[in-house]
Amino acid sequence: MNLLMVVLLGSLRASGADVEKGEALYQSNCMACHGVNADGKGPAAAALQPAPADFTAAAFWEGKTDEQLTAVIKNGSPNTAMIGFGRLSDEQLADIVAFLRAKAPTK
């Protein structure tokens, strides 16, 4: 694990978010569309237009805040197949965002 990943994971844990819990939530709620590797290539992705987000792509992360990510997960995204997961608690949403941040490419 590189230094940036260690710092990132440390700051996420300091905020109370749990990457491991986020991964479990991602697998049960997001994997079908976004894929096992969070690259937008899940089993359902081929049938979706626009394609699901690729969380491993640097371009996806440009200008994204945790608040924006949380809002999309919670409320969905208009004109896409992304449904809202409003049934998830704020803690669960933060855990998923922490997991997704851990998937972001390092510079």
Coordinates of all heavy atoms in Angstrom, one line a residue:
M1 N 0.9 -1.2 0.0 CA 0.0 0.0 0.0 C 0.9 1.2 0.0 O 1.8 1.3 0.8 CB -0.9 0.0 1.2 CG -1.9 1.0 1.3 SD -3.1 1.0 2.7 CE -3.5 -0.6 2.9
N2 N 0.6 2.2 -0.9 CA 1.4 3.4 -0.9 C 1.1 4.4 0.2 O 0.1 4.3 0.8 CB 1.4 4.0 -2.3 CG 0.1 4.6 -2.7 OD1 -0.6 5.1 -1.8 ND2 -0.3 4.6 -3.9
L3 N 2.0 5.3 0.4 CA 1.8 6.3 1.4 C 0.5 7.1 1.3 O -0.2 7.3 2.3 CB 3.0 7.3 1.5 CG 2.9 8.3 2.5 CD1 2.9 7.7 3.9 CD2 4.1 9.3 2.4
L4 N 0.1 7.5 0.1 CA -1.1 8.3 -0.1 C -2.3 7.4 0.4 O -3.2 8.0 1.0 CB -1.3 8.7 -1.5 CG -2.5 9.5 -1.8 CD1 -2.6 10.8 -1.0 CD2 -2.6 9.8 -3.3
M5 N -2.3 6.2 0.0 CA -3.5 5.3 0.4 C -3.5 5.2 2.0 O -4.6 5.2 2.5 CB -3.3 3.9 -0.2 CG -4.5 3.0 0.1 SD -6.0 3.6 -0.6 CE -5.9 3.0 -2.2
V6 N -2.4 5.1 2.6 CA -2.3 5.0 4.1 C -2.9 6.2 4.7 O -3.7 6.2 5.6 CB -0.9 4.7 4.5 CG1 -0.8 4.8 6.1 CG2 -0.4 3.3 4.1
V7 N -2.5 7.4 4.2 CA -2.9 8.7 4.7 C -4.4 8.8 4.4 O -5.2 9.2 5.3 CB -2.2 9.8 4.0 CG1 -2.8 11.2 4.4 CG2 -0.7 9.8 4.5
L8 N -4.9 8.5 3.2 CA -6.3 8.5 2.9 C -7.2 7.7 3.8 O -8.1 8.1 4.4 CB -6.6 8.2 1.4 CG -8.0 8.2 1.0 CD1 -8.7 9.5 1.1 CD2 -8.1 7.7 -0.4
L9 N -6.8 6.4 3.9 CA -7.5 5.5 4.8 C -7.5 6.0 6.2 O -8.5 5.9 6.9 CB -7.0 4.1 4.7 CG -7.2 3.4 3.3 CD1 -6.5 2.0 3.3 CD2 -8.7 3.2 3.0
G10 N -6.4 6.5 6.7 CA -6.3 7.0 8.1 C -7.2 8.2 8.3 O -7.9 8.2 9.3
S11 N -7.3 9.1 7.3 CA -8.2 10.2 7.5 C -9.7 9.8 7.4 O -10.5 10.3 8.1 CB -7.9 11.3 6.4 OG -8.3 10.8 5.1
L12 N -10.0 8.8 6.6 CA -11.4 8.3 6.5 C -11.8 7.6 7.8 O -12.9 7.8 8.3 CB -11.5 7.3 5.3 CG -11.5 7.9 4.0 CD1 -11.4 6.9 2.9 CD2 -12.6 8.9 3.7
R13 N -10.9 6.9 8.4 CA -11.2 6.2 9.7 C -11.3 7.2 10.8 O -12.2 7.1 11.7 CB -10.1 5.2 10.0 CG -10.3 4.0 9.1 CD -9.5 2.8 9.6 NE -9.9 1.6 8.8 CZ -9.0 1.0 8.0 NH1 -7.8 1.4 7.9 NH2 -9.4 0.0 7.3
A14 N -10.5 8.3 10.7 CA -10.6 9.4 11.7 C -12.0 10.1 11.6 O -12.5 10.5 12.6 CB -9.5 10.4 11.5
S15 N -12.6 10.1 10.5 CA -13.9 10.8 10.3 C -15.0 9.8 10.7 O -16.1 10.2 10.8 CB -14.1 11.2 8.8 OG -14.3 10.0 8.0
G16 N -14.7 8.6 11.1 CA -15.7 7.7 11.5 C -16.2 6.7 10.5 O -16.9 5.8 10.7
A17 N -15.8 7.0 9.2 CA -16.2 6.1 8.1 C -15.4 4.8 8.1 O -14.2 4.9 8.5 CB -16.1 6.8 6.8
D18 N -16.0 3.7 7.8 CA -15.4 2.4 7.8 C -15.3 1.9 6.4 O -16.4 1.5 5.8 CB -16.2 1.5 8.7 CG -15.5 0.2 9.0 OD1 -15.0 -0.4 8.0 OD2 -15.5 -0.2 10.2
V19 N -14.2 1.8 5.8 CA -14.0 1.3 4.5 C -14.4 -0.1 4.3 O -15.1 -0.5 3.3 CB -12.5 1.4 4.0 CG1 -12.3 0.8 2.6 CG2 -12.1 2.9 4.0
E20 N -14.2 -1.0 5.3 CA -14.6 -2.4 5.2 C -16.1 -2.6 5.2 O -16.6 -3.3 4.5 CB -13.9 -3.2 6.3 CG -12.4 -3.3 6.1 CD -11.7 -4.0 7.3 OE1 -12.4 -4.5 8.2 OE2 -10.5 -4.1 7.2
K21 N -16.7 -1.8 6.1 CA -18.2 -1.8 6.1 C -18.7 -1.3 4.8 O -19.7 -1.8 4.2 CB -18.8 -1.0 7.3 CG -18.6 -1.7 8.6 CD -19.2 -0.8 9.7 CE -19.0 -1.5 11.1 NZ -19.5 -0.6 12.2
G22 N -18.1 -0.2 4.3 CA -18.5 0.3 3.0 C -18.4 -0.7 1.9 O -19.2 -0.7 1.0
E23 N -17.3 -1.5 1.9 CA -17.1 -2.5 0.9 C -18.3 -3.5 0.9 O -18.8 -3.9 -0.1 CB -15.8 -3.2 1.0 CG -15.6 -4.3 0.0 CD -14.2 -4.9 0.0 OE1 -13.5 -4.7 1.0 OE2 -13.9 -5.6 -0.9
A24 N -18.7 -4.0 2.1 CA -19.8 -4.9 2.2 C -21.1 -4.3 1.7 O -21.8 -5.0 1.0 CB -19.9 -5.4 3.7
L25 N -21.3 -3.1 2.1 CA -22.5 -2.4 1.6 C -22.5 -2.2 0.1 O -23.5 -2.4 -0.6 CB -22.7 -1.0 2.3 CG -23.1 -1.1 3.7 CD1 -22.8 0.2 4.4 CD2 -24.5 -1.4 3.9
Y26 N -21.3 -1.9 -0.5 CA -21.2 -1.7 -1.9 C -21.5 -3.0 -2.6 O -22.2 -3.1 -3.6 CB -19.7 -1.3 -2.2 CG -19.4 -1.3 -3.7 CD1 -19.7 -0.2 -4.5 CD2 -18.9 -2.4 -4.3 CE1 -19.4 -0.2 -5.8 CE2 -18.7 -2.4 -5.7 CZ -18.9 -1.3 -6.4 OH -18.7 -1.3 -7.8
Q27 N -20.9 -4.1 -2.1 CA -21.1 -5.4 -2.7 C -22.6 -5.8 -2.7 O -23.1 -6.4 -3.7 CB -20.3 -6.5 -2.0 CG -18.8 -6.4 -2.1 CD -18.3 -6.5 -3.6 OE1 -18.9 -7.2 -4.4 NE2 -17.3 -5.7 -3.9
S28 N -23.4 -5.5 -1.7 CA -24.8 -5.9 -1.6 C -25.7 -4.9 -2.3 O -26.8 -5.2 -2.7 CB -25.2 -6.1 -0.2 OG -25.1 -4.9 0.5
N29 N -25.3 -3.6 -2.6 CA -26.1 -2.6 -3.1 C -25.7 -2.1 -4.5 O -26.6 -1.6 -5.2 CB -26.3 -1.4 -2.2 CG -27.0 -1.8 -0.9 OD1 -28.2 -2.0 -0.9 ND2 -26.3 -2.0 0.2
C30 N -24.4 -2.1 -4.8 CA -23.9 -1.4 -5.9 C -23.2 -2.2 -7.0 O -23.1 -1.9 -8.2 CB -22.9 -0.3 -5.5 SG -23.4 0.7 -4.1
M31 N -22.7 -3.4 -6.6 CA -21.9 -4.2 -7.4 C -22.6 -4.7 -8.7 O -21.9 -4.7 -9.8 CB -21.4 -5.4 -6.6 CG -20.4 -6.3 -7.3 SD -21.0 -7.5 -8.5 CE -22.2 -8.4 -7.5
A32 N -23.9 -4.9 -8.7 CA -24.5 -5.4 -9.9 C -24.4 -4.4 -11.1 O -24.2 -4.9 -12.2 CB -26.0 -5.6 -9.6
C33 N -24.3 -3.2 -10.8 CA -24.2 -2.2 -11.9 C -22.7 -1.7 -12.0 O -22.2 -1.6 -13.1 CB -25.1 -1.0 -11.7 SG -26.8 -1.4 -11.7
H34 N -22.1 -1.4 -10.9 CA -20.8 -0.8 -10.9 C -19.6 -1.8 -10.9 O -18.5 -1.4 -11.1 CB -20.6 0.2 -9.7 CG -21.5 1.4 -9.8 ND1 -21.3 2.4 -10.6 CD2 -22.7 1.6 -9.2 CE1 -22.2 3.3 -10.5 NE2 -23.1 2.9 -9.7
G35 N -19.9 -3.1 -10.7 CA -18.9 -4.1 -10.8 C -18.1 -4.4 -9.6 O -18.1 -3.6 -8.6
V36 N -17.6 -5.6 -9.5 CA -16.8 -6.1 -8.4 C -15.6 -5.1 -8.1 O -15.3 -4.9 -7.0 CB -16.3 -7.5 -8.6 CG1 -15.3 -8.0 -7.6 CG2 -17.4 -8.5 -8.7
N37 N -15.0 -4.6 -9.2 CA -13.9 -3.8 -9.0 C -14.2 -2.3 -9.0 O -13.3 -1.4 -9.1 CB -12.9 -4.1 -10.1 CG -12.4 -5.5 -10.0 OD1 -12.0 -6.0 -9.0 ND2 -12.4 -6.2 -11.2
A38 N -15.5 -1.9 -9.0 CA -16.0 -0.6 -9.0 C -15.6 0.2 -10.2 O -15.5 1.4 -10.3 CB -15.5 0.2 -7.7
D39 N -15.5 -0.6 -11.3 CA -15.0 0.0 -12.6 C -16.2 0.2 -13.6 O -16.0 0.5 -14.8 CB -14.0 -0.9 -13.3 CG -14.4 -2.3 -13.5 OD1 -15.6 -2.6 -13.2 OD2 -13.6 -3.1 -13.8
G40 N -17.4 0.1 -13.1 CA -18.6 0.4 -14.0 C -18.9 -0.8 -14.9 O -19.7 -0.7 -15.8
K41 N -18.4 -2.0 -14.6 CA -18.6 -3.1 -15.4 C -19.2 -4.3 -14.7 O -18.8 -5.4 -14.8 CB -17.2 -3.6 -16.0 CG -16.6 -2.5 -16.9 CD -15.2 -2.9 -17.4 CE -14.6 -1.8 -18.2 NZ -13.2 -2.0 -18.5
G42 N -20.3 -4.0 -14.0 CA -21.1 -5.0 -13.4 C -21.9 -5.8 -14.3 O -22.1 -5.4 -15.5
P43 N -22.5 -6.9 -13.9 CA -23.3 -7.7 -14.7 C -24.5 -7.0 -15.4 O -24.8 -7.3 -16.5 CB -23.9 -8.8 -13.8 CG -23.0 -8.8 -12.6 CD -22.4 -7.4 -12.5
A44 N -25.0 -6.0 -14.8 CA -26.2 -5.3 -15.4 C -25.7 -4.1 -16.3 O -26.5 -3.5 -17.0 CB -27.1 -4.7 -14.3
A45 N -24.4 -3.8 -16.2 CA -23.9 -2.5 -16.9 C -24.2 -2.5 -18.4 O -24.5 -1.4 -18.9 CB -22.4 -2.4 -16.6
A46 N -24.1 -3.6 -19.1 CA -24.2 -3.6 -20.5 C -25.6 -3.1 -21.0 O -25.7 -2.6 -22.1 CB -24.0 -5.0 -21.1
A47 N -26.6 -3.3 -20.1 CA -28.0 -2.9 -20.5 C -28.3 -1.5 -20.1 O -29.4 -1.0 -20.3 CB -29.0 -3.9 -19.8
L48 N -27.3 -0.8 -19.5 CA -27.6 0.6 -18.9 C -27.0 1.7 -19.8 O -25.9 1.6 -20.2 CB -27.1 0.7 -17.5 CG -27.6 -0.4 -16.5 CD1 -27.0 -0.2 -15.2 CD2 -29.1 -0.2 -16.4
Q49 N -27.9 2.7 -20.1 CA -27.4 3.9 -20.8 C -27.9 5.1 -20.0 O -29.1 5.2 -19.7 CB -28.0 3.9 -22.2 CG -27.3 2.9 -23.1 CD -25.8 3.2 -23.3 OE1 -25.4 4.4 -23.3 NE2 -25.0 2.2 -23.4
P50 N -27.0 6.0 -19.6 CA -25.6 5.9 -19.7 C -25.0 4.8 -18.8 O -25.7 4.3 -17.9 CB -25.1 7.3 -19.3 CG -26.2 7.8 -18.3 CD -27.5 7.2 -18.8
A51 N -23.8 4.5 -19.2 CA -23.1 3.4 -18.4 C -22.9 3.8 -17.0 O -22.8 5.0 -16.7 CB -21.7 3.1 -19.1
P52 N -22.8 2.9 -16.0 CA -22.6 3.2 -14.6 C -21.2 3.9 -14.5 O -20.3 3.7 -15.3 CB -22.6 1.8 -14.0 CG -23.4 1.0 -14.9 CD -23.1 1.5 -16.2
A53 N -21.1 4.7 -13.4 CA -19.8 5.4 -13.1 C -18.7 4.4 -12.9 O -18.9 3.3 -12.3 CB -20.0 6.3 -11.9
D54 N -17.5 4.7 -13.3 CA -16.3 4.0 -13.1 C -15.5 4.7 -12.0 O -14.9 5.7 -12.2 CB -15.4 3.9 -14.4 CG -14.1 3.2 -14.2 OD1 -13.7 2.9 -13.0 OD2 -13.4 3.1 -15.2
F55 N -15.6 4.2 -10.8 CA -15.0 4.8 -9.6 C -13.4 4.6 -9.6 O -12.8 5.2 -8.7 CB -15.6 4.3 -8.3 CG -17.1 4.4 -8.3 CD1 -17.9 3.3 -8.3 CD2 -17.6 5.7 -8.2 CE1 -19.3 3.5 -8.2 CE2 -19.0 5.9 -8.2 CZ -19.8 4.8 -8.2
T56 N -12.9 3.9 -10.6 CA -11.4 3.7 -10.6 C -10.8 4.7 -11.6 O -9.6 4.7 -11.8 CB -11.1 2.3 -11.0 OG1 -11.5 2.0 -12.4 CG2 -11.7 1.3 -10.1
A57 N -11.6 5.5 -12.3 CA -11.2 6.5 -13.3 C -10.9 7.8 -12.7 O -11.8 8.4 -12.0 CB -12.2 6.6 -14.4
A58 N -9.7 8.4 -12.9 CA -9.4 9.7 -12.4 C -10.4 10.8 -12.8 O -10.8 11.7 -12.0 CB -8.0 10.1 -12.8
A59 N -10.9 10.7 -14.0 CA -11.9 11.7 -14.5 C -13.1 11.7 -13.6 O -13.7 12.8 -13.4 CB -12.2 11.4 -16.0
F60 N -13.6 10.6 -13.1 CA -14.8 10.6 -12.3 C -14.6 11.4 -11.1 O -15.5 12.1 -10.6 CB -15.1 9.1 -11.9 CG -16.2 9.1 -10.8 CD1 -17.6 9.2 -11.2 CD2 -16.0 9.1 -9.5 CE1 -18.6 9.3 -10.3 CE2 -17.0 9.1 -8.5 CZ -18.3 9.2 -9.0
W61 N -13.4 11.4 -10.5 CA -13.2 12.1 -9.2 C -12.9 13.6 -9.3 O -13.0 14.3 -8.2 CB -12.0 11.4 -8.5 CG -12.4 10.0 -8.1 CD1 -12.1 8.9 -8.7 CD2 -13.3 9.7 -7.0 NE1 -12.7 7.8 -8.1 CE2 -13.4 8.3 -7.1 CE3 -13.9 10.4 -6.0 CZ2 -14.2 7.6 -6.2 CZ3 -14.7 9.7 -5.1 CH2 -14.8 8.3 -5.2
E62 N -12.8 14.1 -10.5 CA -12.5 15.6 -10.6 C -13.6 16.4 -10.0 O -14.7 16.3 -10.5 CB -12.2 15.9 -12.1 CG -10.9 15.3 -12.6 CD -10.7 15.6 -14.1 OE1 -11.4 16.5 -14.6 OE2 -9.8 14.9 -14.6
G63 N -13.3 17.1 -9.0 CA -14.3 18.0 -8.4 C -15.4 17.4 -7.5 O -16.3 18.1 -7.1
K64 N -15.3 16.1 -7.3 CA -16.3 15.4 -6.5 C -16.1 15.6 -5.0 O -15.0 15.4 -4.5 CB -16.4 13.9 -6.8 CG -16.7 13.6 -8.2 CD -18.2 13.7 -8.5 CE -18.7 13.1 -9.8 NZ -17.9 13.3 -11.0
T65 N -17.1 16.0 -4.3 CA -17.0 16.1 -2.9 C -17.8 14.9 -2.2 O -18.6 14.2 -2.9 CB -17.7 17.4 -2.3 OG1 -19.1 17.3 -2.6 CG2 -17.1 18.6 -3.0
D66 N -17.5 14.6 -1.0 CA -18.2 13.5 -0.3 C -19.7 13.8 -0.2 O -20.5 12.9 -0.3 CB -17.6 13.3 1.1 CG -16.2 12.7 1.1 OD1 -15.7 12.3 0.0 OD2 -15.6 12.5 2.2
E67 N -20.0 15.1 -0.1 CA -21.4 15.5 0.0 C -22.1 15.2 -1.3 O -23.3 14.7 -1.3 CB -21.5 16.9 0.4 CG -21.1 17.3 1.8 CD -19.6 17.3 2.0 OE1 -18.8 17.4 1.0 OE2 -19.1 17.2 3.1
Q68 N -21.5 15.4 -2.4 CA -22.1 15.2 -3.7 C -22.3 13.7 -3.9 O -23.4 13.2 -4.4 CB -21.2 15.7 -4.8 CG -21.2 17.2 -4.9 CD -20.1 17.7 -5.9 OE1 -19.1 17.1 -6.0 NE2 -20.5 18.8 -6.6
L69 N -21.3 12.9 -3.6 CA -21.4 11.4 -3.7 C -22.5 10.9 -2.8 O -23.3 10.1 -3.3 CB -20.1 10.8 -3.3 CG -18.9 11.1 -4.2 CD1 -17.6 10.5 -3.6 CD2 -19.1 10.5 -5.6
T70 N -22.6 11.4 -1.6 CA -23.6 10.9 -0.7 C -25.0 11.3 -1.2 O -25.9 10.4 -1.2 CB -23.4 11.6 0.7 OG1 -22.1 11.2 1.2 CG2 -24.5 11.2 1.7
A71 N -25.2 12.4 -1.8 CA -26.5 12.8 -2.3 C -26.9 11.9 -3.5 O -28.1 11.6 -3.5 CB -26.4 14.3 -2.8
V72 N -26.0 11.6 -4.3 CA -26.3 10.7 -5.5 C -26.7 9.3 -5.0 O -27.6 8.7 -5.4 CB -25.2 10.7 -6.5 CG1 -25.4 9.6 -7.5 CG2 -25.0 12.0 -7.2
I73 N -25.9 8.8 -4.0 CA -26.2 7.5 -3.5 C -27.6 7.5 -2.8 O -28.4 6.6 -3.0 CB -25.1 7.0 -2.5 CG1 -23.8 6.8 -3.3 CG2 -25.5 5.7 -1.9 CD1 -22.6 6.7 -2.3
K74 N -27.8 8.5 -2.0 CA -29.1 8.6 -1.3 C -30.3 8.9 -2.2 O -31.4 8.3 -2.0 CB -29.0 9.7 -0.2 CG -30.2 9.8 0.7 CD -29.9 10.8 1.8 CE -31.0 10.8 2.8 NZ -30.7 11.7 3.9
N75 N -30.1 9.8 -3.1 CA -31.3 10.2 -3.9 C -31.4 9.7 -5.3 O -32.4 10.0 -6.0 CB -31.3 11.8 -3.9 CG -31.3 12.4 -2.6 OD1 -32.1 12.0 -1.7 ND2 -30.4 13.3 -2.3
G76 N -30.3 9.1 -5.8 CA -30.3 8.7 -7.2 C -29.8 9.8 -8.1 O -29.5 10.9 -7.7
S77 N -29.8 9.5 -9.4 CA -29.3 10.5 -10.4 C -30.3 10.5 -11.6 O -30.5 9.5 -12.2 CB -27.9 10.1 -10.9 OG -27.4 11.0 -11.8
P78 N -30.9 11.7 -11.8 CA -31.9 11.8 -12.9 C -31.3 11.4 -14.3 O -30.1 11.6 -14.5 CB -32.2 13.3 -12.9 CG -31.8 13.8 -11.6 CD -30.7 13.0 -11.2
N79 N -32.1 10.8 -15.1 CA -31.8 10.4 -16.5 C -30.7 9.3 -16.5 O -30.0 9.2 -17.5 CB -31.4 11.6 -17.3 CG -32.5 12.7 -17.3 OD1 -33.6 12.4 -17.5 ND2 -32.1 13.9 -17.1
T80 N -30.6 8.6 -15.4 CA -29.7 7.4 -15.4 C -30.5 6.3 -14.7 O -31.5 6.5 -14.2 CB -28.4 7.7 -14.6 OG1 -28.7 7.7 -13.2 CG2 -27.7 9.0 -15.0
A81 N -29.8 5.1 -14.7 CA -30.4 4.0 -13.9 C -30.1 4.0 -12.5 O -30.6 3.2 -11.7 CB -29.9 2.7 -14.5
M82 N -29.4 5.0 -12.0 CA -29.0 5.1 -10.6 C -30.2 5.5 -9.8 O -30.7 6.6 -9.8 CB -27.8 6.2 -10.5 CG -27.4 6.4 -9.0 SD -26.6 4.9 -8.3 CE -26.7 5.4 -6.6
I83 N -30.6 4.5 -9.0 CA -31.7 4.7 -8.1 C -31.2 5.2 -6.8 O -30.0 5.1 -6.5 CB -32.5 3.4 -7.8 CG1 -31.6 2.3 -7.2 CG2 -33.1 2.9 -9.1 CD1 -32.4 1.1 -6.7
G84 N -32.1 5.8 -6.0 CA -31.7 6.3 -4.7 C -31.7 5.2 -3.6 O -32.6 4.3 -3.7
F85 N -30.8 5.2 -2.7 CA -30.7 4.3 -1.6 C -31.0 5.0 -0.3 O -30.2 5.0 0.7 CB -29.4 3.6 -1.6 CG -29.2 2.6 -2.7 CD1 -28.7 3.1 -3.9 CD2 -29.5 1.3 -2.6 CE1 -28.5 2.2 -5.0 CE2 -29.4 0.4 -3.6 CZ -28.9 0.9 -4.9
G86 N -32.1 5.8 -0.2 CA -32.5 6.5 0.9 C -32.8 5.7 2.2 O -32.8 6.3 3.3
R87 N -32.9 4.4 2.0 CA -33.1 3.6 3.2 C -31.8 3.4 4.0 O -31.8 2.9 5.1 CB -33.6 2.2 2.8 CG -32.7 1.4 1.9 CD -33.3 0.1 1.5 NE -32.6 -0.5 0.4 CZ -31.3 -0.9 0.4 NH1 -30.6 -0.8 1.5 NH2 -30.7 -1.5 -0.7
L88 N -30.7 3.7 3.4 CA -29.4 3.6 4.1 C -29.2 4.7 5.1 O -29.6 5.8 4.8 CB -28.2 3.6 3.1 CG -28.2 2.4 2.1 CD1 -27.1 2.6 1.1 CD2 -28.1 1.0 2.8
S89 N -28.6 4.4 6.2 CA -28.4 5.4 7.3 C -27.2 6.3 6.8 O -26.5 6.0 5.9 CB -28.0 4.8 8.6 OG -26.7 4.2 8.5
D90 N -27.1 7.5 7.5 CA -26.0 8.4 7.2 C -24.7 7.7 7.4 O -23.7 7.9 6.6 CB -26.1 9.7 8.0 CG -27.2 10.6 7.7 OD1 -27.8 10.4 6.6 OD2 -27.6 11.4 8.5
E91 N -24.6 6.9 8.4 CA -23.3 6.1 8.7 C -23.0 5.2 7.5 O -21.9 5.1 7.1 CB -23.4 5.4 10.0 CG -22.2 4.6 10.3 CD -22.3 3.8 11.6 OE1 -23.0 4.3 12.5 OE2 -21.7 2.7 11.8
Q92 N -24.0 4.5 7.1 CA -23.8 3.5 5.9 C -23.4 4.3 4.7 O -22.5 3.8 3.9 CB -25.1 2.7 5.7 CG -25.3 1.7 6.8 CD -26.7 1.1 6.6 OE1 -27.7 1.7 6.3 NE2 -26.7 -0.3 6.8
L93 N -24.0 5.4 4.4 CA -23.7 6.2 3.2 C -22.2 6.7 3.3 O -21.5 6.6 2.4 CB -24.6 7.4 3.1 CG -26.1 7.1 2.8 CD1 -27.0 8.3 3.0 CD2 -26.2 6.5 1.4
A94 N -21.8 7.1 4.5 CA -20.4 7.6 4.7 C -19.5 6.4 4.5 O -18.4 6.6 3.9 CB -20.2 8.2 6.1
D95 N -19.8 5.2 4.9 CA -19.0 4.0 4.7 C -18.8 3.7 3.3 O -17.7 3.4 2.8 CB -19.6 2.8 5.5 CG -19.5 3.0 7.0 OD1 -18.8 3.8 7.5 OD2 -20.2 2.2 7.7
I96 N -19.9 3.8 2.5 CA -19.8 3.5 1.1 C -18.9 4.6 0.4 O -18.1 4.2 -0.4 CB -21.2 3.5 0.4 CG1 -22.0 2.3 0.9 CG2 -21.1 3.5 -1.1 CD1 -23.4 2.3 0.4
V97 N -19.1 5.8 0.8 CA -18.3 6.9 0.2 C -16.8 6.6 0.5 O -15.9 6.8 -0.3 CB -18.7 8.3 0.6 CG1 -17.7 9.4 0.2 CG2 -20.1 8.6 0.0
A98 N -16.5 6.2 1.7 CA -15.1 5.9 2.1 C -14.6 4.8 1.3 O -13.4 4.9 0.8 CB -15.1 5.5 3.6
F99 N -15.4 3.8 1.0 CA -14.9 2.7 0.2 C -14.7 3.2 -1.2 O -13.6 2.8 -1.8 CB -16.0 1.5 0.2 CG -15.7 0.5 -0.9 CD1 -14.7 -0.4 -0.7 CD2 -16.4 0.4 -2.0 CE1 -14.4 -1.4 -1.7 CE2 -16.2 -0.5 -3.0 CZ -15.1 -1.4 -2.8
L100 N -15.6 4.0 -1.8 CA -15.4 4.5 -3.1 C -14.1 5.4 -3.2 O -13.4 5.3 -4.2 CB -16.6 5.3 -3.6 CG -17.9 4.4 -3.7 CD1 -19.0 5.3 -4.1 CD2 -17.7 3.3 -4.7
R101 N -13.9 6.2 -2.2 CA -12.7 7.0 -2.2 C -11.4 6.2 -2.2 O -10.4 6.5 -2.8 CB -12.7 8.0 -1.0 CG -13.6 9.1 -1.1 CD -12.9 10.3 -1.6 NE -13.9 11.4 -1.8 CZ -13.8 12.3 -2.7 NH1 -12.9 12.3 -3.6 NH2 -14.8 13.3 -2.8
A102 N -11.5 5.0 -1.5 CA -10.3 4.1 -1.5 C -10.1 3.5 -2.9 O -9.0 3.1 -3.2 CB -10.6 3.0 -0.5
K103 N -11.1 3.6 -3.8 CA -10.9 3.0 -5.1 C -10.4 4.1 -6.1 O -10.0 3.7 -7.2 CB -12.3 2.5 -5.7 CG -12.8 1.3 -5.0 CD -11.8 0.2 -5.2 CE -12.4 -1.2 -5.0 NZ -11.4 -2.2 -5.3
A104 N -10.4 5.3 -5.7 CA -9.9 6.4 -6.6 C -8.4 6.2 -6.9 O -7.6 5.8 -6.0 CB -10.1 7.8 -5.9
P105 N -8.0 6.4 -8.1 CA -6.6 6.3 -8.5 C -5.7 7.3 -7.7 O -6.2 8.4 -7.5 CB -6.6 6.5 -10.0 CG -7.8 7.3 -10.3 CD -8.8 6.9 -9.2
T106 N -4.5 6.9 -7.4 CA -3.6 7.8 -6.8 C -2.8 8.5 -7.9 O -2.6 8.0 -9.0 CB -2.6 7.1 -5.9 OG1 -1.9 6.1 -6.6 CG2 -3.4 6.5 -4.7
K107 N -2.3 9.7 -7.6 CA -1.6 10.4 -8.6 C -0.1 10.1 -8.6 O 0.5 9.6 -7.8 CB -1.7 11.9 -8.3 CG -3.1 12.4 -8.5 CD -3.3 13.9 -8.3 CE -4.7 14.2 -8.5 NZ -5.0 15.6 -8.4

